[in-house]
């Protein structure tokens, strides 16, 4: 679920995420240089004294340094108690390092494009190699494999040095602890009965959970404390799709380890699989970008309409009930005029997140445009529809949105009201277009009646010329 491929603290996750972009780093402070008066030189960005880390919030600095210290102690203990390396270990290391290098080099341009487009967590798929190393190699060689992966990713992501170090240490700790967990259930790949298979599967699942949990705690903790400019649950932990991709990647890492232990030449196939999988991930991201509103992260009108049409078709075939809510923020222009458009954007993002939280997983939430949102509620009766709409109205009214004013000073926007229009299928329309028209008419009715309320569409739709 969490941290990052190349930059842990910019985000990322066990399956090696590059993750949410960090807040823009401040330029390194200038230091006086020898020479003519007024001449200055900037400190080298790789020098620890010039890291932007020191300009972070104290709690972030304390968390990162403290967690790194703990990780270094654990890694040192693991290395001190590691058994002597055998020739087979070095062979396995060479195979994994070669596979990881082929994967990274053949997908470098794809990764650069994905990182440039991705604003939340990014799964880079290298856990196929690092998790398999955690299963099959001793601690020193696990760290060597991670080093091979991380150094190559440095040239792709080029993140701040302190982010790179923190993320690398996090990956090392996750790999070593996953290895300790897995070997505690050994020996492996020796049984042939169902009980042996189930025991092996359980050990792999537990090791994978440890591998993920360490990165969630380390990188997720740093992001939640302030490394992310928007420490929302989605930005810290990633979307369900992100975490599904990550789980699949860790699973592929387990398959790679099993192949390496039983049929080593077949690992070459996994190198091909990772390249293809990387391409599929990029295509999925492109498709998601087309369907997603960049300002709020929820479905845009195109993505919402496509999903809503399918839901409406299912409802028509099954004879179930369906409702459409149009959520319109009252006096939104006043927010932009008073606090500025960046504050208005913060309000839209927070409202979108709130809608996602207070609706059911089966409901479709999208941005209609401007300050209007759409929520499609399948399989719901009239009373439950009214309850859902009121729940949304109350949730938005309770929001306290921390933002900035026109001068950049801290500000909080609260006590915002919402007018919600409701259309029911088939009573107010048997097509998506007619339902939208009916819900829009209901919004007008709510505003004419004083705003801050839920109104159902009239049976006969009459729309005023202007709002």
């Amino acid at each position: 679920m969490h941290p990052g491929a190349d930059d842990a603290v910019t985000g990322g996750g066990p399956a090696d995420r590059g993750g949410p972009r960090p807040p823009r780093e401040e330029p390194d402070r200038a230091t006086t240089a020898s020479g003519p008066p007024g001449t200055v030189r900037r400190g080298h960005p790789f020098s620890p004294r010039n890291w932007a880390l020191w300009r972070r919030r104290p709690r972030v600095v304390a968390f990162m340094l403290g967690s790194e210290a703990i990780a270094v102690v654990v890694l040192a203990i693991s290395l001190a108690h590691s058994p002597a390396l055998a020739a087979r270990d070095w062979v396995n290391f060479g195979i994994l390092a070669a596979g990881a290098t082929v994967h990274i080099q053949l997908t470098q341009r794809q990764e650069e494009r994905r990182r440039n487009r991705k604003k939340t967590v990014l799964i880079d798929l290298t856990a196929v190699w690092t998790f398999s190393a955690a299963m099959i190699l001793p601690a020193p060689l696990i760290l060597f494999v991670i080093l091979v992966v991380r150094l190559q990713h440095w040239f792709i992501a080029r993140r701040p040095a302190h982010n790179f170090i923190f993320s690398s240490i996090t990956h090392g700790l996750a790999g070593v602890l996953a290895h300790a967990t897995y070997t505690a259930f050994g020996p492996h790949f020796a049984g042939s009965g169902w009980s042996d298979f189930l025991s092996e599967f359980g050990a792999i699942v537990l090791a994978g959970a440890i591998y993920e949990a360490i990165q969630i705690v380390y990188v997720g903790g740093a992001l939640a404390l302030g490394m992310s400019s928007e420490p929302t649950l989605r930005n810290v932990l990633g979307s369900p799709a992100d975490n599904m991709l990550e789980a699949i990647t860790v699973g592929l890492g387990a398959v790679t380890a099993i192949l390496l232990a039983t049929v080593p030449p077949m690992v070459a196939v996994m190198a091909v699989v990772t390249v293809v999988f990387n391409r599929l991930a990029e295509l999925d991201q492109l498709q998601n970008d087309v369907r997603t509103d960049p300002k709020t992260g929820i479905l845009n009108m195109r993505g919402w309409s496509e999903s809503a049409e399918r839901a409406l078709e299912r409802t028509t075939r099954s004879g179930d009930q369906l409702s459409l809510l149009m959520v319109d923020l009252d006096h939104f222009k006043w927010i932009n005029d008073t606090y500025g458009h960046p504050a208005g954007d913060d309000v839209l993002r927070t409202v979108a997140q709130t809608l996602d939280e207070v609706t059911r997983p089966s409901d479709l939430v999208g941005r209609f445009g401007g300050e209007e949102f759409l929520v499609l509620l399948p399989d719901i009766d009239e009373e439950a529809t009214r309850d859902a709409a009121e729940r949304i109205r109350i949730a938005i009214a309770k929001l306290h949105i921390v933002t900035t004013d026109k001068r950049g000073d801290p500000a909080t926007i609260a006590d915002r009201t919402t007018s919600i229009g409701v259309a029911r299928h088939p009573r107010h329309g048997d097509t998506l277009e007619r339902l939208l028209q009916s819900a829009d008419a209901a919004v007008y009715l709510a505003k004419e009646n004083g705003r801050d309320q839920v109104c159902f569409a009239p049976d006969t739709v009459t729309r005023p010329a202007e709002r």
Side-chain angles (χ1 to χ4, degrees), residues 1 14-15 17 123 127 131 212 240-254 277:
M1 304 211 353
R17 306 181 179 184
I123 311 302
F131 183 66
E212 298 247 356
D242 292 328
N243 290 298
M244 177 61 71
L245 178 59
E246 189 169 26
I248 292 173
T249 306
V250 172
L252 289 175
F277 207 60

Side-chain angles (χ1 to χ4, degrees), residues 125 245 248-249 252 272-282:
L125 310 182
L245 178 59
I248 292 173
T249 306
L252 289 175
V272 176
V273 169
T274 55
V275 172
V276 174
F277 207 60
N278 223 97
R279 179 58 177 166
L280 293 176
E282 182 184 23

Side-chain angles (χ1 to χ4, degrees), residues 25-183:
E25 301 286 355
E26 301 173 14
D28 292 316
R29 293 171 180 164
T31 56
T32 304
S34 57
T39 302
V40 296
R41 62 180 174 80
R42 294 194 180 277
H44 197 287
F46 294 164
S47 174
R49 65 182 296 180
N50 297 315
W51 287 353
L53 170 66
W54 313 121
R55 299 190 289 279
R56 298 291 186 191
R57 297 176 182 177
R59 64 187 184 186
V60 175
V61 176
F63 176 84
M64 291 181 67
L65 295 181
S67 55
E68 284 178 334
I70 294 172
V72 168
V73 170
V74 173
L75 292 176
I77 294 173
S78 299
L79 292 175
H81 291 84
S82 179
L85 302 179
R88 177 64 184 270
D89 295 329
W90 285 104
V91 171
N92 289 340
F93 163 76
I95 293 173
L96 290 178
T101 299
V102 170
H103 170 202
I104 293 170
Q105 294 305 315
L106 291 182
T107 60
Q108 180 174 346
R109 297 302 298 274
Q110 294 173 15
E111 284 300 299
E112 290 173 345
R113 291 193 297 266
R114 291 179 68 213
R115 289 176 190 280
N116 288 336
R117 289 191 298 266
K118 192 74 169 178
K119 296 181 180 180
T120 55
V121 292
L122 174 71
I123 311 302
D124 65 16
L125 310 182
T126 54
V128 171
W129 312 105
T130 55
F131 183 66
S132 59
M135 288 179 57
I136 210 77
L137 297 178
L141 295 184
I142 294 172
L143 298 181
F144 280 166
V145 169
I146 291 173
L147 183 63
V148 168
V149 170
R150 302 291 300 150
L151 286 177
Q152 293 183 77
H153 268 289
W154 166 261
F155 295 101
I156 297 175
R158 298 185 181 277
R159 298 300 191 192
H162 67 277
N163 285 9
F164 177 79
I165 292 173
F166 181 81
S167 184
S168 299
I169 291 176
T170 300
H171 279 273
L173 179 64
V176 166
L177 291 183
H179 171 76
T181 302
Y182 183 65
T183 54

Side-chain angles (χ1 to χ4, degrees), residues 230 293-298 327-330 332-333 335-336 340-356 365-373 396 399 401 403 413 416:
E230 297 177 32
D293 174 53
K295 187 168 292 185
T296 61
I298 61 176
V327 181
D328 193 311
L329 305 182
D330 295 330
F332 184 75
K333 184 177 183 298
I335 297 175
N336 285 332
H341 287 86
D345 291 346
D346 287 339
V347 171
L348 292 175
R349 279 190 290 269
T350 305
V351 169
Q353 181 183 355
T354 301
L355 290 174
D356 198 45
V365 178
R367 186 181 177 201
F368 187 55
E371 67 273 23
E372 294 178 317
F373 297 86
I396 294 174
L399 290 176
I401 302 165
T403 182
I413 299 175
R416 305 313 306 161

Side-chain angles (χ1 to χ4, degrees), residues 198-214:
L198 292 176
S199 176
E200 183 75 16
F201 179 76
I204 292 173
V205 170
L206 183 59
I210 295 295
Y211 185 81
E212 298 247 356
I214 294 300

